[in-house]
Amino acid sequence: MRRTQIVTALCTCLTTMGLLAAVGATASAHEFTVSKTGAMKGANASNMVFKTKGGTITCTSVTVGGTAGGLKTEVLELPLKWAGCTAFGFVGAKTSSPFWDVNANESVTLGEAFVVETTGCVMTMIAQGPVKVIKFQNLSNGELLMEFNIAKLISKGEGAFCAYALEESGTLTGNFVDKVESGTLTWA
């Protein structure tokens, strides 16, 4: 009798643990859903503004590329092309085109350094992540609005106008809209 009680208690405990693990995984998991595999297309819906110890960088144009490879995914790898940037008061700053991994858990990983260069200054935001926070909003036309409000970005500045050591107080704010060519992109 005692052996039966122990086995019953053990089975009940294991079943409960399994159910709790399944509920926990389901409750916290977010994902992107694309209606079909295809090219990603997107652009900024507002200025993208970086604030660093060396000053402010404002970019008026960001285009998003990449390919949606699966119908459901937790990560979108997005190559970003920045343009129309004013950095530290100088118009026409040159920028690199890094890729970012945007995660459905509302974070982003900068897969490559983002470099902004202008007269007398080179600002480098090192590869890092995941950093938070990105909010997502499904739009009625099948596009996805990504709202960036990221803090604690790590960067450094070199040159006469923006020299500063590696620090972790940079921010990024702004929005862009992403979509799948001839398809839809949603977040849940």
Side-chain angles (χ1 to χ4, degrees):
M1 178 75 176
R2 177 134 168 90
R3 186 178 295 177
T4 304
Q5 288 175 333
I6 291 172
V7 170
T8 302
L10 181 60
C11 289
T12 302
C13 181
L14 291 174
T15 301
T16 302
M17 288 173 52
L19 289 173
L20 289 174
V23 167
T26 303
S28 65
H30 291 285
E31 63 187 2
F32 299 107
T33 303
V34 295
S35 61
K36 66 178 218 166
T37 301
M40 302 287 288
K41 300 281 183 185
N44 57 307
S46 68
N47 287 345
M48 301 297 283
V49 180
F50 293 95
K51 291 188 178 179
T52 71
K53 186 175 181 179
T56 300
I57 303 158
T58 302
C59 297
T60 60
S61 175
V62 181
T63 54
V64 181
T67 302
L71 298 180
K72 291 194 182 282
T73 184
E74 291 182 14
V75 177
L76 298 173
E77 186 177 292
L78 303 177
L80 304 175
K81 188 171 207 167
W82 302 81
C85 297
T86 300
F88 315 109
F90 295 96
V91 177
K94 297 177 187 173
T95 60
S96 63
S97 297
F99 74 88
W100 289 5
D101 289 334
V102 175
N103 194 303
N105 74 1
E106 300 180 322
S107 69
V108 64
T109 298
L110 285 66
E112 299 173 319
F114 176 58
V115 180
V116 179
E117 186 175 350
T118 191
T119 304
C121 181
V122 176
M123 187 281 303
T124 304
M125 191 174 306
I126 66 169
Q128 60 192 287
V131 292
K132 289 194 172 225
V133 66
I134 301 174
K135 296 292 183 185
F136 302 104
Q137 181 180 346
N138 297 318
L139 302 178
S140 60
N141 61 356
E143 297 177 345
L144 183 65
L145 176 66
M146 298 182 185
E147 303 172 7
F148 291 81
N149 189 10
I150 299 173
K152 296 187 178 183
L153 290 172
I154 303 169
S155 67
K156 66 179 179 177
E158 300 170 312
F161 296 109
C162 70
Y164 63 97
L166 199 63
E167 57 92 26
E168 186 183 347
S169 65
T171 63
L172 169 64
T173 57
N175 304 327
F176 63 78
V177 176
D178 206 4
K179 65 181 179 179
V180 177
E181 200 168 61
S182 301
T184 60
L185 173 63
T186 58
W187 174 82

